[in-house]
């Protein structure tokens, strides 16, 4: 079994027939065993719907999907035995202690904490000093770690993490991704969704998703090298007027604020004209966010 | 099985950690029994009476003594003439006046047809009615003491419930009603809420993605409440017997067994409600409006079903509490055995099966 | 008097029992400034923001918002500020127009004002066709832009934005910041928290809270220079990595 997750032509709509809300339209994906795969897109892109279909919580309107070889509809019971799932909302029992939560989740998956402790050791050690504390009284970062332990304790083959880093500060986000790298080494296929574009670089491959459609699937490096137009970072006093100036400059395909600079995408072969003596201009390599913006505009 | 037990254990932890709810669940039956048993009862106790004894003979003296001795009445005034009757009423000292005509003893012993006038303050018609009944039964008792072997000629019209409840005690009616209400509240509402709570908090999502069979999730949820209900049943019965003096005439085991049957009906109703609702408010609302009100209205303990219009009588048949109420009254107060209540028990068992089947059918193995 | 101050804080402190959520912070925000209020989870951002919005009284210290004392005038402050958070913004079961009407109404704006401004607002947001659509049916990005417009509908002196762009796509995020610039250009002071550190670059000045104190406060350029960092992300990582506490 080389592919851990296979999605073929999955579509999903919500709402009434008159006013359907398209959550997913014709999604196809192959995720290899042992891969750390990122599903990157804003809220409402369809990430959670796709996760729920893959974790057998939701039925697709069209298309099919398998997880570790099991069909998510016909063999949903088998799928439920081998996946670990961490929903977007903190979903542990707030009135149970850290330890009680962990043991409870182990038991319902017919597993024992002792048998699989090696999987969670690195993470659990950080929250072990608080093992008698109720989960509801934990800090945000610790809740997240406990939730990850609970999703891992039955040694799942495939781990689904739905927006584990949303609303988490940059430092904690970094730590979380470090933990995922360690888990990947243990051979678990990990599928993570996130709205933070900068996290793409931490994944083996990513799917950029927007309005229920996949814009692109590839390694972060390949996505970036697919951005062929020249890109410049521009800075000058009076950033707002600079942006207007860029929008009116011939040859500029797109211009948008990017941190302390503006990014200007140029038509290939056209160079950026002189923008004033105070302007700082430099050619830059695009990052995933540039690619996402460009892909969004292509699909609009 | 280990899975199931660990789920049950978790449910117990939830209940034990939420001290306030636990306190309410265990304290509620006690408070209700006390409120219904004492405060709300239309029982008569030491009501003031006045006597106008125009006979002043042996029998009249004995009757007055017996009335005064009863726990229902207290002799407040010994009147001299008829004019005083109304005056005493107006002073608010008495609720009932007894007028004994001249020659009472003679008439009683020789013609068997003595007359007696009871004048009641009917501003509270229920109270008046009850007092007249009490007084009537005292007179009857009095007759049987003087003529033990003779058939009493003095006939007193009594209500049907007097038949098994000669002292007309309110608690006799309330105890079975409170049992039905408490069990329904604890089982139906709490079970419904606790399952929906998991849907709201998102933990149901993880439960569904686990190998747990949905049915065992719901069943595990019901177990703690079943046990809690048994505690409640026992505390209600103990209170009834030792505080309210309501005896258990029939088999205690039968009574508890039937209560467990009703508990299971309530639990399956709770499961059904939880399967259909997505928020705690909805679950609570359905439990209260859909279950609690019909129970109060149609079980027969607040309003007699026989007095209702025909369509409402038909509706009352689908209210489980009605059948349970009949069973409890029969076993506890009439003291009958299973052969007298098997029909009601069968109806409850049928309802339980039906609701449970519906609950399982409606349980979603996926998110909507 | 030099620049007018929108917010001043002097040794502002909030204790919860033994826990000092906000520990004697002092700073000033100029009128019309876009002020980024950053910090790790649990650093005390939300607590500090609640004090400025008049939702919670400080344990000690002084502070003014729009020139008003936060102890004495906390009700008057509420008239002068706007507030928008990612979690609660608009009523999903009311239409776009009804939401605007409602918020205009609670700030006591006249019917003619509401009517006139609603049209301008709908035009700016290009939402004219959706005026009678339920807010719940709008895409997230539009909702957030509408929520911001509603938060400044009553022309407050200061608008507090609590993670306004969480989960919003990169294009809409930039459109959102455009609206912030425009508001600031009209003289509205913007006080904003965010987890997107590239957005910190869009602010005039940035403060970074760590463990209840302000660990750094300056323009993004000066901070990057001071910490020898190429981006605000690095500045933040350096400062917040030393944090002892984590909370929500």
């Amino acid at each position: 079994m080389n592919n851990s997750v296979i999605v073929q032509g999955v579509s999903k709509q919500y709402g009434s027939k008159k006013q359907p809300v398209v959550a997913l339209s014709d999604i196809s994906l192959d995720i290899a065993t042992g891969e750390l795969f990122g599903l990157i897109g804003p809220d409402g892109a369809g990430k959670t719907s796709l996760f729920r279909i893959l974790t057998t919580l939701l039925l697709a309107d069209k298309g099919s999907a398998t997880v570790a070889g099991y069909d998510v509809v016909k063999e949903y019971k088998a799928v439920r035995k081998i996946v670990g799932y961490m929903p977007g909302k903190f979903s542990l029992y707030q009135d149970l202690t850290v330890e009680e939560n962990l043991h409870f989740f182990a038991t319902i998956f017919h597993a024992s904490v002792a048998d699989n402790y090696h999987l969670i050791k690195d993470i659990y050690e950080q929250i072990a000093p608080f093992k008698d504390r109720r989960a509801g009284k934990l800090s945000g970062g610790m809740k997240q770690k406990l939730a990850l332990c609970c999703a891992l304790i039955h040694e799942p083959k495939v781990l689904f993490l739905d927006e584990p880093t949303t609303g988490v500060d940059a430092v904690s986000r970094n730590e979380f991704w470090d933990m995922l790298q360690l888990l990947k080494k243990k051979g678990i296929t990990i599928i993570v969704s996130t709205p933070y574009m900068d996290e793409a670089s931490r994944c083996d491959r990513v799917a950029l998703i927007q309005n229920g459609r996949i814009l692109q699937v590839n390694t972060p490096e390949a996505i970036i090298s697919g951005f062929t137009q020249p890109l410049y970072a521009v800075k000058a006093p009076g950033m707002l007027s600079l942006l207007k100036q860029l929008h009116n400059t011939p040859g500029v395909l797109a211009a948008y604020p990017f941190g302390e600079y503006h990014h200007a995408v140029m038509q290939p072969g056209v160079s950026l004209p002189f923008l004033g003596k105070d302007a700082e201009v430099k050619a830059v390599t695009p990052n995933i966010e540039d690619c996402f913006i460009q892909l969004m505009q292509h699909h609009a | 099985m280990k899975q199931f037990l660990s789920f049950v254990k978790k449910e117990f932890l939830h209940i034990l950690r939420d001290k306030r709810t636990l306190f309410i669940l265990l304290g509620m039956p006690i408070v209700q029994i006390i409120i219904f048993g004492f405060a709300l009862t239309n029982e008569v106790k030491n009501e003031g009476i006045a006597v106008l004894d125009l006979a002043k003979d042996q029998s009249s003296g004995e009757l007055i003594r017996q009335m005064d001795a009863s726990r229902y009445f207290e002799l407040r005034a010994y009147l001299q003439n008829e004019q005083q009757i109304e005056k005493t009423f107006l002073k608010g000292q008495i609720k009932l006046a007894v007028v004994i005509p001249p020659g009472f003893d003679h008439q009683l012993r020789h013609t068997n047809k003595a007359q007696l006038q009871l004048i009641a303050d009917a501003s509270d018609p229920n109270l008046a009615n009850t007092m007249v009944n009490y007084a009537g039964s005292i007179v009857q008792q009095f007759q049987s003491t003087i003529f033990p072997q003779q058939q009493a000629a003095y006939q007193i019209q009594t209500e049907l419930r007097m038949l098994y409840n000669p002292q007309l005690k309110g608690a006799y009616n309330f105890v079975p009603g409170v049992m039905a209400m408490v069990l329904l509240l604890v089982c139906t509402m709490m079970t419904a809420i606790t399952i929906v709570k998991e849907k709201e908090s998102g933990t149901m999502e993880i439960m569904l993605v686990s190998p747990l069979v949905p049915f065992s999730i719901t069943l595990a949820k019901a177990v703690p409440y079943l046990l809690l209900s048994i505690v409640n049943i026992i505390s209600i019965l103990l209170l009834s017997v030792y505080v309210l003096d309501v005896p258990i005439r029939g088999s205690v085991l039968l009574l508890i067994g039937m209560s467990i049957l009703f508990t299971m009906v309530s639990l399956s109703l709770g499961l059904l409600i939880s399967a259909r609702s997505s928020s705690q408010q909805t679950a609570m609302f359905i439990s209260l409006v859909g279950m609690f009100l019909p129970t109060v209205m149609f079980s027969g303990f607040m309003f007699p079903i026989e007095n209702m219009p025909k369509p409402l009588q038909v509706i009352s048949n689908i209210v489980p509490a009605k059948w349970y109420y009949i069973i409890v009254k029969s076993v506890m107060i009439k003291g009958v055995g299973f052969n007298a209540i098997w029909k009601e028990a069968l109806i409850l068992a049928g309802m339980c099966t039906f609701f449970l089947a519906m609950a399982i059918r409606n349980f979603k193995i996926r998110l909507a | 008097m030099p620049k007018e101050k929108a917010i001043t804080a002097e040794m502002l402190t909030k204790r919860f029992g033994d826990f000092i959520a906000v520990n004697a912070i002092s700073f000033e925000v100029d009128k019309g400034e876009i002020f980024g209020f950053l910090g790790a989870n649990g650093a005390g951002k939300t607590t500090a923001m609640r004090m400025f919005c008049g939702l919670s009284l400080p344990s000690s210290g002084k502070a003014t918002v729009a020139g008003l004392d936060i102890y004495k005038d906390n009700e008057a402050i509420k008239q002068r500020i706007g507030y928008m958070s990612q979690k609660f913004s608009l009523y999903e079961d009311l239409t776009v127009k009804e939401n605007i009407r409602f918020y205009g109404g609670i700030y006591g704006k006249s019917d003619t004002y509401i009517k006139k401004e609603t049209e301008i607002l709908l035009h700016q947001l290009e939402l004219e066709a959706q005026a009678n659509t339920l807010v719940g049916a709008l895409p997230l990005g539009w909702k957030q832009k509408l929520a911001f417009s509603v938060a400044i509908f009553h022309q407050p002196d200061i608008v507090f934005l609590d993670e306004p762009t969480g989960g919003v796509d990169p294009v809409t995020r930039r459109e959102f910041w455009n609206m912030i610039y425009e508001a600031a250009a009209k003289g509205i002071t913007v006080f904003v928290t965010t987890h997107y550190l590239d957005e910190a670059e869009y602010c005039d000045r940035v403060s970074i809270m760590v463990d209840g104190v302000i660990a750094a406060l300056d323009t993004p350029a000066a901070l990057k220079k001071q910490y020898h960092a190429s981006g605000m992300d690095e500045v933040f990582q350096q400062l917040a990595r030393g944090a002892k506490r984590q909370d929500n």
Side-chain angles (χ1 to χ4, degrees):
Chain A
M1 180 58 44
N2 205 13
N3 277 333
S4 186
V5 176
I6 300 170
V7 183
Q8 277 171 328
V10 162
S11 297
K12 178 76 191 173
Q13 283 189 353
Y14 296 106
S16 58
K17 284 217 170 88
K18 273 186 206 156
Q19 269 192 313
V21 180
V22 178
L24 296 169
S25 67
D26 198 23
I27 298 272
S28 295
L29 274 179
D30 285 333
I31 297 168
T33 303
E35 200 170 6
L36 174 50
F37 190 89
L39 198 60
I40 298 183
D43 286 3
K47 302 187 300 283
T48 300
S49 297
L50 183 58
F51 270 41
R52 287 184 172 167
I53 287 170
L54 293 177
T55 51
T56 77
L57 284 172
L58 207 60
L59 291 175
D61 298 336
K62 266 189 249 156
S64 63
T66 62
V67 172
Y70 297 111
D71 186 279
V72 293
V73 180
K74 289 187 220 103
E75 297 167 291
Y76 75 93
K77 283 187 180 160
V79 173
R80 289 178 182 191
K81 288 193 178 110
I82 49 141
V83 298
Y85 174 45
M86 187 170 148
K89 212 169 94 186
F90 177 71
S91 301
L92 300 179
Y93 295 99
Q94 315 250 6
D95 55 348
L96 299 190
T97 66
V98 168
E99 210 174 16
E100 283 164 354
N101 264 298
L102 190 63
H103 281 275
F104 174 70
F105 281 99
T107 325
I108 61 165
F109 279 94
H110 300 294
S112 83
V113 174
D115 289 347
N116 292 327
Y117 189 69
H118 63 278
L119 270 177
I120 59 162
K121 186 169 171 284
D122 299 324
I123 310 162
Y124 191 68
E125 273 174 354
Q126 302 173 45
I127 48 172
F130 312 100
K131 66 181 166 54
D132 294 322
R133 198 183 278 189
R134 306 238 174 124
K137 295 256 153 67
L138 292 177
S139 71
M142 287 198 283
K143 274 184 185 162
Q144 191 196 33
K145 283 169 191 158
L146 176 61
L148 184 59
C149 287
C150 290
L152 273 172
I153 195 61
H154 61 288
E155 203 178 1
K157 287 200 169 72
V158 185
L159 186 60
F160 290 93
L161 307 173
D162 194 7
E163 300 209 12
T165 55
T166 292
V168 174
D169 68 67
V171 174
S172 309
R173 266 161 56 196
N174 247 333
E175 284 175 6
F176 195 80
W177 280 98
D178 291 341
M179 288 189 276
L180 295 188
Q181 304 286 356
L182 287 174
L183 287 175
K184 179 186 139 63
K185 289 202 182 101
K186 293 181 174 154
I188 301 172
T189 308
I190 307 171
I191 303 164
V192 193
S193 72
T194 175
Y196 298 103
M197 306 280 152
D198 56 340
E199 292 178 356
S201 62
R202 309 292 300 258
C203 303
D204 296 334
R205 282 195 311 147
V206 296
L208 303 182
I209 180 169
Q210 160 85 353
N211 292 335
R213 283 172 207 283
I214 289 191
L215 304 175
Q216 198 167 18
V217 186
N218 220 323
T219 61
E221 300 77 25
I223 289 178
I224 286 166
S225 60
F227 192 104
T228 48
Q229 291 95 340
L231 181 72
Y232 293 95
V234 189
K235 193 162 92 169
M239 292 297 275
L240 208 54
S241 57
L242 176 66
L243 193 62
K244 284 189 183 124
Q245 190 187 354
L246 284 170
H247 280 305
N248 294 325
T249 305
V252 174
L253 294 173
Y256 42 87
F258 209 98
E260 61 172 323
Y261 294 91
H262 292 325
H263 276 187
V265 185
M266 299 303 297
Q267 235 164 37
V270 182
S271 55
L272 199 61
F274 181 67
L275 292 166
K277 66 175 167 52
D278 292 329
E280 177 194 337
V281 178
K282 59 183 181 184
V284 287
T285 354
N287 69 14
I288 290 286
E289 193 151 344
D290 291 300
C291 301
F292 198 97
I293 293 171
Q294 190 173 54
L295 288 165
M296 266 180 80
Q297 277 151 356
H298 277 294
H299 283 257
Chain B
M1 197 60 200
K2 198 180 161 203
Q3 245 186 336
F4 182 76
L5 288 180
S6 100
F7 210 115
V8 173
K9 184 185 151 201
K10 177 194 77 100
E11 289 310 313
F12 268 113
L13 287 175
H14 286 319
I15 295 172
L16 293 176
R17 299 246 159 108
D18 189 357
K19 294 261 164 15
R20 209 178 313 163
T21 309
L22 183 66
F23 185 74
I24 292 172
L25 289 182
L26 291 177
M28 185 179 59
I30 298 172
V31 172
Q32 280 195 339
I33 281 285
I34 289 169
I35 290 175
F36 284 125
F38 290 114
L40 286 186
T41 124
N42 47 9
E43 210 175 307
V44 171
K45 221 179 228 173
N46 289 334
E47 296 293 349
I49 58 166
V51 174
L52 176 58
D53 184 1
L54 301 173
K56 292 199 171 62
D57 50 30
Q58 192 195 339
S59 291
S60 72
E62 176 58 20
L63 177 62
I64 293 165
R65 201 193 57 73
Q66 281 195 16
M67 287 194 110
D68 190 24
S70 90
R71 52 188 286 214
Y72 312 116
F73 301 115
E74 192 184 284
L75 189 61
R76 297 258 169 86
Y78 210 82
L79 308 177
Q80 301 304 322
N81 54 53
E82 290 193 22
Q83 285 78 16
Q84 283 180 317
I85 297 175
E86 203 182 338
K87 275 186 199 156
T88 327
F89 268 119
L90 289 175
K91 277 188 206 152
Q93 288 174 338
I94 58 160
K95 289 271 168 32
L96 184 79
V98 183
V99 182
I100 302 172
F104 182 69
D105 186 71
H106 176 83
Q107 281 178 356
L108 200 60
R109 289 179 195 277
H110 299 285
T111 64
N112 266 357
K113 266 189 185 162
Q115 280 184 332
L116 194 72
Q117 194 182 17
L118 295 175
I119 305 166
D121 174 359
S123 56
D124 181 346
N126 284 330
L127 180 67
N129 194 25
T130 316
M131 285 189 309
V132 171
N133 283 333
Y134 282 141
S137 58
I138 292 172
V139 171
Q140 197 177 27
Q141 222 169 7
F142 161 73
Q143 274 191 134
S144 58
T145 50
I146 22 179
F147 310 110
Q149 50 300 77
Q150 260 176 305
Q151 179 90 27
Y154 193 95
Q155 286 284 332
I156 293 166
Q157 286 273 319
T158 49
E159 280 185 24
L160 193 61
R161 56 179 182 174
M162 286 269 288
L163 207 52
Y164 300 106
N165 185 7
Q167 300 108 318
L168 270 183
K169 283 181 77 170
Y172 277 36
N173 279 310
F174 285 116
V175 169
V178 169
M179 283 178 69
M181 257 171 36
V182 166
L183 292 181
L184 199 80
L185 206 68
V186 172
C187 301
T188 309
M189 197 154 100
M190 293 313 294
T191 327
I193 287 175
T194 161
I195 293 178
V196 177
K197 205 166 161 186
E198 295 224 18
K199 289 190 194 175
E200 277 188 350
S201 72
T203 41
M204 190 54 96
E205 239 176 285
I206 303 192
M207 293 300 108
L208 287 176
V209 178
S210 81
L212 269 180
V213 188
F215 186 58
S216 64
I217 299 180
T218 40
L219 215 57
K221 288 252 162 208
V223 170
Y225 291 103
L226 182 65
L227 294 181
L228 209 62
S229 298
I230 293 175
V231 173
N232 275 339
I233 293 170
I234 291 170
S235 73
I236 293 175
L237 290 180
L238 286 176
L239 275 175
S240 319
V241 173
Y242 293 106
V243 180
L244 298 181
D245 294 330
V246 180
I248 301 173
R249 297 226 172 87
S251 146
V252 178
L253 276 181
L254 181 62
L255 190 59
I256 291 180
M258 287 297 119
S259 299
I260 291 174
L261 177 62
F262 179 67
T263 306
M264 278 157 59
V265 177
S266 312
L267 285 172
S268 40
L269 255 172
L271 297 182
L272 179 58
I273 292 172
S274 73
R276 302 288 302 181
S277 33
S278 53
S279 74
Q280 290 189 57
Q281 276 117 314
T282 321
M284 184 112 85
F285 188 75
I286 298 178
S287 308
L288 276 178
V289 176
M291 300 292 116
F292 203 60
L293 290 182
T295 300
V296 173
M297 307 277 288
F298 293 119
S299 65
F301 95 93
M302 282 276 198
F303 313 103
I305 294 172
E306 311 89 77
N307 298 353
M308 288 179 184
K310 206 74 196 156
L312 291 184
Q313 291 195 25
V314 173
I315 290 175
S316 75
N317 288 330
I318 60 164
V319 176
K322 173 189 168 171
W323 306 106
Y324 177 64
Y325 182 66
I326 295 176
I327 293 176
V328 176
K329 269 178 62 163
S330 307
V331 176
M332 202 166 163
I333 295 162
K334 291 191 209 171
V336 298
F338 183 71
N339 51 2
I341 52 156
W342 67 270
K343 250 188 276 172
E344 285 81 8
L346 197 67
I347 291 172
L348 283 184
M351 284 179 163
C352 183
T353 320
F354 175 74
F355 291 136
L356 209 57
M358 289 287 285
I360 294 169
R361 258 182 72 104
N362 279 287
F363 193 90
K364 294 182 190 75
I365 55 161
R366 296 189 168 83
L367 299 173
Chain C
M1 197 169 167
K3 267 187 188 167
E4 220 180 306
K5 299 296 177 198
I7 298 173
T8 66
E10 203 179 309
M11 301 296 282
L12 192 66
T13 302
K14 179 78 186 186
R15 277 187 212 90
F16 296 105
D18 292 338
F19 181 73
I20 305 174
V22 174
N23 193 355
I25 58 171
S26 304
F27 66 96
E28 291 178 337
V29 179
D30 294 330
K31 195 175 180 317
E33 192 174 17
I34 301 175
F35 190 83
F37 198 59
L38 310 186
N41 297 65
K45 278 179 309 185
T46 308
T47 311
M49 199 137 142
R50 283 200 184 134
M51 289 192 280
F52 294 128
C53 293
L55 296 176
S56 132
L57 276 179
S59 307
S60 63
K62 277 191 266 184
T64 65
V65 171
L68 298 164
D69 186 289
I70 62 169
Y71 289 94
K72 282 184 291 187
D73 306 317
N74 63 344
E75 288 308 314
I77 286 175
K78 288 177 186 170
Q79 275 292 333
R80 310 276 295 271
I81 62 170
Y83 176 79
M84 173 202 165
S85 94
Q86 186 199 355
K87 283 166 202 127
F88 171 77
S89 37
L90 301 166
Y91 291 97
E92 305 245 314
D93 55 350
L94 297 186
T95 66
V96 171
K97 245 185 174 164
E98 285 162 352
N99 265 293
I100 301 172
R101 241 221 83 81
F102 171 72
Y103 280 100
I106 58 172
Y107 284 101
K109 292 292 173 191
S110 70
D111 282 354
T112 39
Y113 175 91
I114 293 175
K115 219 171 169 184
K116 196 181 104 222
E117 290 296 316
T118 302
E119 264 163 45
I120 297 172
L121 192 157
L122 290 175
H123 179 72
Q124 280 172 346
L125 291 173
E126 296 171 30
L127 274 176
E128 284 124 322
Q130 281 79 22
N132 295 313
T133 308
L134 293 184
V135 162
L138 294 179
L140 176 81
W142 292 20
K143 270 188 225 169
Q144 296 299 84
K145 285 196 275 182
L146 178 63
F148 177 71
S149 307
V150 167
I152 58 169
F153 187 77
H154 62 291
Q155 297 176 320
D157 295 342
I158 303 159
V159 63
F160 290 89
L161 307 174
D162 193 2
E163 289 179 40
T165 56
V168 175
D169 71 70
V171 173
T172 312
R173 216 143 62 75
R174 286 169 171 78
E175 289 168 0
F176 193 93
W177 272 93
N178 248 336
M179 294 176 66
I180 293 181
Y181 281 127
E182 276 165 28
K186 280 189 221 155
I188 296 178
T189 308
V190 180
F191 190 93
V192 57
T193 74
T194 179
H195 283 310
Y196 293 94
L197 287 160
D198 57 324
E199 292 186 342
E201 310 265 9
Y202 304 151
C203 301
D204 294 323
R205 282 191 310 150
V206 170
S207 80
I208 298 178
M209 269 187 95
V210 179
D211 290 346
V213 298
I214 291 183
L217 195 169
D218 214 325
T219 62
L223 285 174
K224 279 184 286 187
K225 204 170 163 195
Q226 187 188 342
Y227 289 89
H228 309 287
S230 62
M232 281 306 290
D233 187 40
E234 273 179 49
V235 176
F236 186 81
Q237 298 277 354
Q238 284 184 36
L239 283 166
R241 210 175 273 288
K244 302 249 170 7
R245 68 188 203 214
Q246 269 193 336
D247 214 321
N248 241 345

